[in-house]
C-alpha cells in the first residue's frame, strides 16, 4: 500500500483541527423548559429550540407546572402540588435533587429568579388574596413585596435586576404593573378594558411581552417598558399565551391552541415566522427559555 503523501496528511490534520476548534467554540443551543400532560399528569420537560432532544425532567403523581430557569442554567424552579397544595420547588437541570423551597397551607405559584440567582419571586394567597413574595434561593427570608386588596400575580424579574413586572386587577381588570425590586414605586404599564397578563422581560430589560384579549381573543403583545408603546406580535383566532423571550431577544416562545390543543410555538420578536415546536395530543404549556449568551 502506498503511503499518503505528507502534504495530504497535513491538510487532513489541519481540517480536523479546524472542525474540532469550531465545535468547541459553538455553545449548545438553549433549551426550552415547559409543562406537559403527556403522561396523564403535568410534568416538566426540556426540548431544544430546534424541537429536538425531548427530555422528561420530573416524574410525580402530582402536577408540576410553571418551570423557570435559574440564571446559571443549573436549576429549574417550578410549582408543584406534590405535598397536597402548590409550593415552589427547585430541581437540578439534570432532574436530580428536587428541593421544597416554600411550605405554607396557601398556594405558592409562578416562580421567577432574580438575575443574580440569589432570590426567587412568586405569588401566593397566604394572606387571603394574591400578593407577590420574595425568598432567598434556598427558601429562607420570606418577604412580602406587594400588599394590596386586589390580586397581584405572575411576577417577572427584569434582567437588570431593578424591577419586577406583574399582573394585577387593582383597576378592576388585569393590567401589567412594574414595581421596584424592593417593593417601591408600583406603576401601571398597561391600561385597557381587555385583560393583560403574564409579563415577560426582553433580555435587555427594555421591553415586556404579555398576552391580552383586547381584540377579543388572546394574542401576544410587546410593550416598551419605559413608554408603554405597544406592538401586536401575534394575531390569530386561537388563543396565544404565556410569552417567553429567547436569550438573544430575537424570538418569543408561547403556547397556543391554534391546532386544536395546546402546543409550544416560536415566533420572531416582531411576529414573523411562527413555527410549532411541539406536536403531541396532550397539552404542552408554559414555555421558559434557558438563559444563554444573549443575556449575559
Amino acid at each position: 500500500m502506498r503511503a499518503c503523501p505528507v502534504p495530504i496528511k497535513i491538510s487532513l490534520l489541519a481540517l480536523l483541527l479546524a472542525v474540532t476548534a469550531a465545535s468547541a467554540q459553538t455553545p449548545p443551543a438553549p433549551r426550552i423548559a415547559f409543562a406537559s400532560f403527556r403522561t396523564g399528569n403535568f410534568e416538566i420537560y426540556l426540548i431544544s429550540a430546534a424541537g429536538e432532544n425531548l427530555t422528561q425532567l420530573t416524574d410525580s403523581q402530582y402536577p408540576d407546572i410553571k418551570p423557570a430557569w435559574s440564571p446559571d442554567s443549573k436549576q429549574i424552579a417550578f410549582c408543584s402540588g406534590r405535598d397536597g397544595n402548590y409550593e415552589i420547588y427547585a430541581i437540578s437541570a439534570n432532574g436530580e435533587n428536587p428541593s421544597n423551597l416554600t411550605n405554607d397551607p396557601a398556594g405558592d405559584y409562578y416562580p421567577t429568579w432574580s438575575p443574580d440567582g440569589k432570590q426567587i419571586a412568586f405569588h401566593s394567597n397566604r394572606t387571603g388574596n394574591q400578593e407577590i413574595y420574595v425568598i432567598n434561593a434556598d427558601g429562607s427570608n420570606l418577604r412580602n413585596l406587594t400588599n394590596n386588596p386586589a390580586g397581584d400575580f405572575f411576577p417577572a424579574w427584569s434582567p437588570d435586576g431593578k424591577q419586577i413586572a406583574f399582573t394585577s386587577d387593582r383597576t378592576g381588570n388585569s393590567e401589567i404593573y412594574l414595581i421596584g425590586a424592593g417593593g417601591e414605586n408600583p406603576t401601571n404599564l398597561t391600561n385597557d378594558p381587555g385583560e393583560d397578563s403574564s409579563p415577560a422581560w426582553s433580555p435587555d430589560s427594555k421591553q415586556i411581552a404579555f398576552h391580552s384579549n383586547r381584540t377579543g381573543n388572546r394574542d401576544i403583545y410587546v410593550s416598551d417598558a419605559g413608554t408603554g408603546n405597544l406592538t401586536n406580535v401575534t394575531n390569530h383566532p386561537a388563543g396565544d399565551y404565556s410569552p417567553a423571550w429567547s436569550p438573544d431577544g430575537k424570538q418569543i416562545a408561547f403556547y397556543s391552541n391554534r391546532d386544536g390543543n395546546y402546543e409550544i410555538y416560536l415566533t420572531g420578536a416582531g411576529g414573523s415566522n411562527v413555527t410549532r415546536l411541539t406536536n403531541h395530543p396532550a397539552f404542552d404549556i408554559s414555555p421558559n427559555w434557558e438563559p444563554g449568551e444573549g443575556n449575559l
Side-chain angles (χ1 to χ4, degrees):
M1 181 182 294
R2 296 178 60 187
C4 182
V6 173
I8 296 178
K9 288 184 177 179
I10 293 174
S11 297
L12 291 174
L13 178 59
L15 178 61
L16 178 62
L17 291 173
V19 170
T20 302
S23 299
Q25 293 171 6
T26 303
R31 296 164 290 177
I32 294 172
F34 65 100
S36 178
F37 201 71
R38 52 186 72 197
T39 63
N41 180 53
F42 275 111
E43 305 287 357
I44 307 301
Y45 288 76
L46 305 180
I47 194 170
S48 77
E52 302 169 344
N53 303 320
L54 179 72
T55 303
Q56 183 177 342
L57 194 70
T58 65
D59 186 8
S60 171
Q61 61 179 319
Y62 299 101
D64 297 333
I65 57 176
K66 300 308 301 183
W69 286 92
S70 64
D72 62 5
S73 298
K74 293 181 179 180
Q75 296 184 86
I76 293 173
F78 61 99
C79 53
S80 176
R82 57 183 70 190
D83 74 344
N85 67 302
Y86 281 100
E87 306 285 0
I88 305 301
Y89 285 75
I91 194 170
S92 297
N94 61 5
E96 298 177 352
N97 306 316
S99 59
N100 186 188
L101 300 181
T102 66
N103 187 4
D104 191 270
D108 299 332
Y109 306 90
Y110 213 101
T112 178
W113 295 78
S114 63
D116 61 6
K118 295 180 179 180
Q119 300 175 88
I120 294 173
F122 61 97
H123 75 246
S124 176
N125 63 349
R126 53 183 71 197
T127 62
N129 68 302
Q130 300 286 351
E131 304 285 358
I132 308 300
Y133 290 80
V134 175
I135 54 174
N136 290 347
D138 63 0
S140 63
N141 194 24
L142 176 73
R143 288 96 71 201
N144 189 182
L145 194 72
T146 66
N147 187 2
N148 192 282
D152 298 333
F153 312 83
F154 311 136
W157 216 308
S158 65
D160 63 12
K162 296 178 180 179
Q163 297 183 91
I164 292 174
F166 63 98
T167 302
S168 181
D169 59 5
R170 24 182 108 186
T171 62
N173 67 301
S174 295
E175 304 286 358
I176 306 301
Y177 284 74
L178 305 178
I179 195 169
E184 68 280 2
N185 303 322
T187 58
N188 190 184
L189 182 68
T190 66
N191 187 6
D192 189 89
E195 295 183 353
D196 301 335
S197 189
S198 297
W201 290 90
S202 63
D204 61 6
S205 298
K206 293 181 179 180
Q207 297 178 291
I208 295 173
F210 60 95
H211 68 242
S212 176
N213 68 348
R214 54 182 65 199
T215 61
N217 63 294
R218 303 277 178 182
D219 283 308
I220 305 301
Y221 290 79
V222 170
S223 174
D224 185 284
T227 66
N229 290 338
L230 205 61
T231 302
N232 187 185
V233 175
T234 68
N235 186 0
H236 195 277
D240 299 335
Y241 303 84
S242 194
W245 293 81
S246 64
D248 61 7
K250 294 180 180 180
Q251 292 180 285
I252 295 173
F254 61 97
Y255 73 91
S256 177
N257 62 348
R258 49 179 77 193
D259 74 343
N261 71 302
Y262 289 106
E263 305 283 1
I264 308 300
Y265 286 77
L266 305 180
T267 180
S272 61
N273 302 320
V274 176
T275 58
R276 186 173 63 187
L277 187 69
T278 65
N279 187 4
H280 194 276
F283 286 0
D284 297 333
I285 62 172
S286 305
N288 186 261
W289 220 303
E290 180 181 12
E293 291 185 356
N295 62 352
L296 292 179

